[in-house]
Amino acid sequence: MNIQYSDKFLDAIKTAKSVVVSTGAGVSAESGVPTFRGEEGLWKKFRAEELATFEAFQANPKLVWEWYQYRRETINKITPNPGHYAIAEMPKLFDTFRLITQNVDGLHRVAGSENVVEIHGNIKRNKCLDCDEFSYDEEFQQFPPTCECGGKLRPDVVWFGEMLPADAIDIAFGVSRSCDLFFTVGTSGVVQPAASLPTMARQQGAFVVEINIEPTELTYIVDESFMGKSSEVLPEIITKIKEIKGLI
Ligand code: OAD
């Protein structure tokens, strides 16, 4: 790729002190994790209301667990792509940096990102419905599996109709409101409240950049839009930032 950078983007890079990156399923697409929407999206093949709601879990916990175990198996076989690794380099390049993700696959952490704000939870973590303890077992004898306390375990992901983890969303809102450069990467921008983070950032004066293979709901509110695969655009942007900062 040969990206054409606007002067306003280059200025934003030069002056930015506090940077936020917010990612969605698109950033993991090239690692082999299916996205949710679009022709090949999970919600074209599976019914969200039968698999990703608390009501579905209560009605058929075995089916819901089987679906999550299937997704865990997919995720266990895959590795981060150059987009994840490029994001993991960003904390070194700015005074303050925070990564927010809607992804539950944990690939940002595998790529080396720290303090990731996982607003939709983590598919590899279990949570007990009774004692709220977290656990990381993946091999179970029965479904739904149970906690040491005897309570039912569920995957620690946010289902439709559920509140987001309060601490994660507080951090996400706080850093989005106080940053001066915000990147929204690989998300269709239709699921709230994640979709409102770029608007929040822009209203407080941040320069907002979108990276996506196609226009989205967010394209018309951002300052700069790069159309392309995150695994190609992000490494190139990182190289540009390093050049600007005299690091290469
Ligand atoms: P979507 O599936 O809605 O959107 C994925 C976005 O990634 C689309 O805009 C694609 O154009 C873009 N995309 C695909 N491949 C890409 C690539 N290689 N590089 C850059 N962009 C690419 O996924 P999300 O926006 O993450 O919620 O979905 C948000 C939430 O909806 C998910 O977290 C999940 C789902 O229901 C929960 O599970 C709570």
Side-chain angles (χ1 to χ4, degrees):
M1 279 199 98
N2 197 4
I3 301 178
Q4 298 301 313
Y5 299 101
S6 67
D7 288 344
K8 59 183 184 169
F9 175 77
L10 296 175
D11 282 346
I13 294 291
K14 279 179 204 148
T15 54
K17 296 211 165 353
S18 173
V19 177
V20 169
V21 173
S22 177
T23 64
V27 85
S28 293
E30 289 158 82
S31 291
V33 185
T35 59
F36 293 93
R37 294 171 187 82
E39 280 313 304
E40 297 297 315
L42 284 174
W43 298 148
K44 271 265 154 67
K45 299 183 188 136
F46 300 97
R47 288 169 64 86
E49 59 274 30
E50 284 173 10
L51 298 166
T53 64
F54 189 67
E55 291 71 28
F57 181 73
Q58 278 179 313
N60 198 342
K62 188 163 182 287
L63 175 74
V64 171
W65 261 110
E66 277 168 0
W67 193 62
Y68 279 94
Q69 289 292 84
Y70 156 74
R71 285 180 58 201
R72 278 179 175 181
E73 277 165 31
T74 312
I75 286 165
N76 283 342
K77 288 188 207 133
I78 53 142
T79 50
N81 65 58
H84 295 104
Y85 288 111
I87 293 170
E89 288 203 60
M90 289 179 110
K92 294 195 301 247
L93 305 174
F94 298 98
D95 290 355
T96 313
F97 178 81
R98 204 71 197 236
L99 172 59
I100 304 165
T101 188
Q102 295 171 80
N103 299 344
V104 296
D105 56 33
L107 286 180
H108 284 300
R109 250 176 301 130
V110 179
S113 286
E114 292 174 356
N115 300 321
V116 185
V117 186
E118 294 179 315
I119 56 176
H120 289 170
N122 188 310
I123 199 168
K124 293 174 74 81
R125 196 166 55 220
N126 314 308
K127 188 175 174 191
C128 175
L129 289 188
D130 286 356
C131 71
D132 285 342
E133 281 294 311
F134 298 118
S135 56
Y136 292 87
D137 302 327
E138 291 192 16
E139 307 277 330
F140 301 116
Q141 307 302 324
Q142 54 166 45
F143 291 99
T146 49
C147 173
E148 284 172 6
C149 80
K152 276 188 200 144
L153 291 179
R154 61 169 283 177
D156 188 25
V157 296
V158 175
W159 283 325
F160 286 98
E162 291 190 315
M163 303 284 284
L164 271 57
D167 45 353
I169 203 65
D170 280 355
I171 297 172
F173 283 169
V175 296
S176 301
R177 287 198 184 106
S178 59
C179 69
D180 37 43
L181 177 58
F182 185 104
F183 290 87
T184 172
V185 187
T187 176
S188 55
V190 295
V191 173
Q192 294 294 353
S196 61
L197 298 175
T199 314
M200 232 175 236
R202 196 155 192 273
Q203 278 167 351
Q204 301 297 319
F207 189 86
V208 179
V209 181
E210 176 177 56
I211 299 167
N212 201 300
I213 50 171
E214 61 188 20
T216 71
E217 300 285 318
L218 301 172
T219 307
Y220 76 100
I221 69 116
V222 303
D223 295 288
E224 186 87 41
S225 189
F226 295 112
M227 292 290 155
K229 293 178 177 173
S230 51
S231 66
E232 293 173 3
V233 175
L234 280 163
E236 213 173 304
I237 288 180
I238 294 297
T239 304
K240 190 73 195 172
I241 296 172
K242 287 180 181 166
E243 263 173 44
I244 290 173
K245 293 184 179 280
L247 299 171
I248 50 173

